[in-house]
Amino acid sequence: MKQHRYRVTLEQLSEPTGAPTTDKTLQFDVANHDDIFAIVEGLWGRGDFGHEAATALAVGLKLFGEVMLEEQANPLFSTFRPHFLQFIRELKKSRAES
């Protein structure tokens, strides 16, 4: 299956106290069957989430969903998969209705 390739970078900006941090960064490469940028833009256009919340939701769901798809045989996901799929259906359905 042809996939999009992405590099994800996460930088911690501050501690819970508000103290800035500069030395905590994660970076990793992932593949996904969907165009994550298009999905993010679709959530931006809905208007029911703020810009950053829509971005975090779309990226988080796509990263998690791809791992679950690639690890289909892993029993850890067996009880959660139907609920995840239902959530995605509801999210897509509510987009179509808006």
Side-chain angles (χ1 to χ4, degrees), residues 25-73:
T25 301
L26 294 173
Q27 187 174 70
F28 56 97
D29 295 346
V30 295
N32 197 287
H33 67 278
D34 285 323
D35 179 347
I36 296 175
F37 286 98
I39 292 169
V40 168
E41 290 171 4
L43 277 180
W44 288 345
R46 289 170 53 118
D48 52 349
F49 298 102
H51 191 80
E52 289 189 9
T55 303
L57 178 62
V59 172
L61 286 173
K62 290 311 303 174
L63 293 178
F64 180 77
E66 195 71 20
V67 170
M68 193 165 48
L69 183 63
E70 291 175 4
E71 298 289 334
Q72 292 180 52

Side-chain angles (χ1 to χ4, degrees), residues 74-90:
N74 189 323
L76 178 64
F77 297 116
S78 64
T79 58
F80 182 68
R81 184 176 294 105
H83 303 286
F84 181 79
L85 295 174
Q86 180 62 32
F87 177 82
I88 296 298
R89 279 191 292 275
E90 290 296 321

